[in-house]
């Protein structure tokens, strides 16, 4: 890749094992500057603060804010010569179209895309029950995610990938197998969020897909991100920044009708 300087961020916080694993894998060839949140900012989406505190860190900078804060501060002030942004490695997968807007990891890559900077969001799927997030991770757990991210950073730009895609969303299985092939995917469109009143004036939310993933029983065909990870593959989805306009949505006639209505 025709890149020298990398801005590395995440949403798990500057001390997360996944960020350190990526840093150590990239820093031998690239000039890597970390601009990461001070603490866990999972599922904050594209939240932007009014201002943030920034402190020096042994790997770059620590920001008292969100992943998007980190990218905006990084690309426009702290690391203005960054050639690419890497977000991750997230401890937990970001799979399915409906999760992408919530993810701080993916949102960091989206923000970079608005700056015109190529980006890769990398996450690791961890199977288990509701308390999987309590697990202590080691660098070896991230081996598939790290290997795929490094390969894509090295090769994607020269292959013209970023001429057609704004960012890549990578999801890798935890490295409990020696090999995880790479598969190009699209985000699953399956949606199954549930809401349930709990009797004390509150409503709880749940997503049944994670239990189905543990069983290998997912409603997704080959070629989708979730199916790839369940099958032990590394999913890479080439994506564009959101909110593309659709010029043929049938609104032109409604504009004329609205104009007529407000004149009557």
């Amino acid at each position: 890749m025709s890149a020298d300087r990398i801005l590395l961020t995440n949403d798990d916080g500057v001390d997360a094992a996944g960020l350190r694993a990526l840093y150590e894998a990239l820093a031998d060839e690239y000039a890597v500057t970390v601009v990461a949140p001070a603490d866990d900012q999972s599922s904050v989406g594209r939240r932007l603060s009014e201002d943030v505190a920034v402190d020096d860190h042994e790997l770059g900078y620590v920001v008292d804010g969100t992943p998007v804060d980190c990218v905006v501060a990084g690309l426009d002030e702290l690391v203005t010569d960054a050639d690419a942004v890497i977000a991750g490695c997230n401890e937990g997968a970001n799979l399915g179209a409906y999760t992408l807007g919530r993810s701080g990891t993916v949102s960091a890559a989206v923000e970079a895309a608005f700056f015109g900077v190529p980006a890769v969001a990398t996450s690791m799927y961890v199977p288990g029950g509701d308390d999987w997030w309590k697990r202590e991770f080691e660098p070896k757990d991230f081996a598939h995610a790290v290997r795929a991210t490094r390969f894509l950073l090295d090769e994607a730009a020269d292959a013209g990938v970023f001429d057609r895609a704004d960012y890549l969303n990578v999801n890798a299985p935890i490295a409990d197998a020696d090999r995880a092939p790479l598969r190009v995917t699209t985000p699953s469109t399956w949606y199954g969020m549930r809401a349930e009143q709990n009797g004390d004036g509150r409503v709880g939310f749940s997503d049944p897909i994670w239990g189905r993933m543990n069983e290998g029983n997912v409603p997704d065909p080959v070629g989708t991100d979730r199916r790839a990870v369940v099958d032990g593959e590394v999913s890479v989805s080439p994506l564009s920044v959101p909110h593309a306009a659709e010029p043929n949505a049938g609104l032109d006639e409604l504009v004329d009708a609205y104009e007529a209505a407000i004149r009557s």
Side-chain angles (χ1 to χ4, degrees):
M1 180 178 181
S2 55
D4 296 313
R5 182 168 293 281
I6 307 302
L7 190 161
L8 176 62
T9 191
N10 72 347
D11 74 357
D12 290 323
V14 70
D15 295 321
L19 182 138
R20 177 69 70 161
L22 275 177
Y23 180 88
E24 293 178 353
L26 299 175
D28 62 339
E29 182 171 339
Y30 297 95
V32 181
T33 302
V34 168
V35 185
D39 53 20
D40 188 1
Q41 296 288 320
S42 297
S43 299
V44 299
R46 293 190 59 222
R47 184 185 302 168
L48 180 69
S49 305
E50 183 175 349
D51 58 21
V52 293
V54 179
D55 292 306
D56 290 336
H57 186 273
E58 61 174 325
L59 305 181
Y61 302 93
V62 57
V63 175
D64 186 18
T66 69
V68 165
D69 293 335
C70 293
V71 172
V72 175
L75 293 180
D76 204 47
E77 182 66 24
L78 303 173
V79 198
T80 58
D81 57 346
D83 302 302
V85 168
I86 305 296
C89 179
N90 193 61
E91 298 170 7
N94 284 296
L95 298 163
Y98 69 102
T99 70
L100 300 184
R102 299 182 194 144
S103 165
T105 303
V106 175
S107 292
V110 169
E111 202 70 26
F114 280 112
F115 274 89
V117 175
V120 180
T122 301
S123 304
M124 179 179 69
Y125 169 58
V126 184
D130 293 339
D131 60 351
W132 67 265
W133 53 272
K134 297 179 181 179
R135 178 171 176 173
E136 294 291 331
F137 297 103
E138 301 178 8
K140 65 181 182 180
D141 295 327
F142 299 92
H144 296 326
V146 166
R147 184 181 299 114
T149 303
R150 173 64 184 263
F151 176 82
L152 291 167
L153 185 59
D154 290 344
E155 305 293 340
D158 288 342
V161 171
F162 291 112
D163 295 334
R164 289 163 284 181
D166 294 320
Y167 71 100
L168 305 178
N169 186 40
V170 175
N171 283 274
I174 193 169
D176 55 7
D178 292 337
R179 182 174 178 271
L182 195 67
R183 182 179 290 275
V184 180
T185 62
T186 57
S188 169
T189 58
W190 185 88
Y191 182 78
M193 288 296 300
R194 296 174 180 171
E196 183 177 0
Q197 290 184 323
N198 60 16
D200 62 356
R202 299 182 66 84
V203 174
F205 305 110
S206 63
D207 187 350
I209 196 62
W210 302 110
R212 296 182 66 168
M213 286 187 71
N214 286 333
E215 300 167 359
N217 176 30
V218 293
D220 306 291
V222 172
T224 57
D225 53 1
R226 191 179 293 121
R227 169 58 65 184
V229 171
V230 168
D231 289 346
E233 300 170 329
V234 177
S235 163
V236 53
S237 297
L239 300 173
S240 298
V241 293
H243 314 310
E246 174 49 65
N248 298 312
L251 283 171
D252 291 342
E253 294 82 359
L254 294 184
V255 169
D256 294 338
Y258 181 77
E259 183 68 17
I262 63 176
R263 287 181 176 179
S264 61

